[in-house]
Amino acid sequence: MKQRLVVYLSGPIMDEHAGQARAWRAAAKTQLGEAYKLLDPMRRMFVDREVDSANEIVEFDLQDVRAADIILVNYNKPSIGTSMEVFYASHHLGKFVIAFSPFSFQECSPWMVRYCTKILGSLEQAVAYIRTHFPPEELGE
């Protein structure tokens, strides 16, 4: 039986309006959910800035990054956590990191440009890129 590729949904959560942090992830689930397994860090009920949960938040997110085949990134604003996930996935694990962003190339952080495999203009473009380069029918063993 073929296994679905795993896609981790990386993007700002801390200091992001909860609706915005959830809306793009819900759209990604609608567009990719039938063909890919999606890991959404917001499935956990942690509260930002609670000292006793900080290490858990980071370790669970890193565990998801390790478990993923592809990292899908919402690069809609600078985010330390998102940047750390991108660097870890790309530099340390050699994973494909596909971002979508409203920023022009000139406005993007050189770090995001360097460690994202591809930065596209919209979620729809990123989804099309994933479907083209990682088609569901070629998955698994």
Side-chain angles (χ1 to χ4, degrees):
M1 183 170 157
K2 294 184 178 186
Q3 292 183 350
R4 295 183 296 167
L5 279 179
V6 178
V7 178
Y8 176 65
L9 305 177
S10 177
I13 295 174
M14 191 169 180
D15 297 328
E16 181 82 327
H17 183 274
Q20 290 179 322
R22 292 184 193 285
W24 81 267
R25 288 177 170 91
K29 289 174 190 174
T30 299
Q31 296 175 43
L32 292 170
E34 289 184 19
Y36 303 85
K37 179 179 178 184
L38 302 180
L39 296 178
D40 179 354
M42 294 194 71
R43 70 188 186 277
R44 299 183 193 96
M45 296 299 169
F46 287 117
V47 177
D48 290 330
R49 294 189 175 88
E50 284 187 5
V51 175
D52 64 347
S53 67
N55 288 331
E56 288 176 283
I57 291 169
V58 171
E59 191 50 47
F60 276 124
D61 290 352
L62 292 177
Q63 184 177 351
D64 282 351
V65 170
R66 288 189 293 269
D69 298 298
I70 301 165
I71 312 302
L72 175 59
V73 180
N74 180 359
Y75 176 31
N76 65 335
K77 69 179 191 177
S79 164
I80 292 171
T82 302
S83 300
M84 297 287 278
E85 291 171 353
V86 166
F87 180 75
Y88 181 67
S90 177
H91 184 71
H92 291 284
L93 303 175
K95 301 206 183 235
F96 241 76
V97 178
I98 301 150
F100 61 96
S101 178
F103 303 125
S104 69
F105 176 77
Q106 295 82 3
E107 296 172 305
C108 288
S109 161
W111 284 81
M112 291 298 278
V113 171
R114 170 63 183 88
Y115 290 104
C116 289
T117 310
K118 188 79 170 173
I119 300 176
L120 298 157
S122 68
L123 173 61
E124 292 71 25
Q125 289 174 324
V127 165
Y129 185 91
I130 291 170
R131 288 188 169 280
T132 298
H133 295 286
F134 301 94
E137 58 273 10
E138 296 178 10
L139 306 180
E141 314 251 314

